[in-house]
Amino acid sequence: MDESVSGLLEAVRAENISKGTAQTSLKRLVEAIVEEQAALRKNCENLSQENQELRTSIQQLPKSDTALYI
């Protein structure tokens, strides 16, 4: 978890907010950010893997055809 998001989540937990609904709303927003961050990281990992697979495929092409695919 990113330090800034982790710190924000901790601040929401630690802070004494008078209205429980406000605290719940903030907590849900922070949790949604954390979930989105995890999804983005997973997408980046998938794209990186796909990129590597494409590079490997291109390297296996005959040299005369490589320029057509780059």
Side-chain angles (χ1 to χ4, degrees), residues 1-2 5 30-46:
M1 185 182 311
D2 186 67
V5 175
V30 171
E31 288 171 348
I33 290 169
V34 170
E35 289 174 11
E36 183 66 20
Q37 186 180 38
L40 288 170
R41 279 194 179 127
K42 182 66 176 170
N43 285 342
C44 287
E45 289 172 8
N46 291 341

Side-chain angles (χ1 to χ4, degrees), residues 41-69:
R41 279 194 179 127
K42 182 66 176 170
N43 285 342
C44 287
E45 289 172 8
N46 291 341
L47 287 172
S48 179
Q49 181 179 354
E50 185 177 330
N51 186 16
Q52 185 58 44
E53 289 170 2
L54 288 170
R55 287 178 184 270
T56 301
S57 295
I58 289 172
Q59 289 173 353
Q60 293 173 355
L61 291 172
K63 294 294 180 197
S64 61
D65 294 341
T66 303
L68 297 174
Y69 296 97

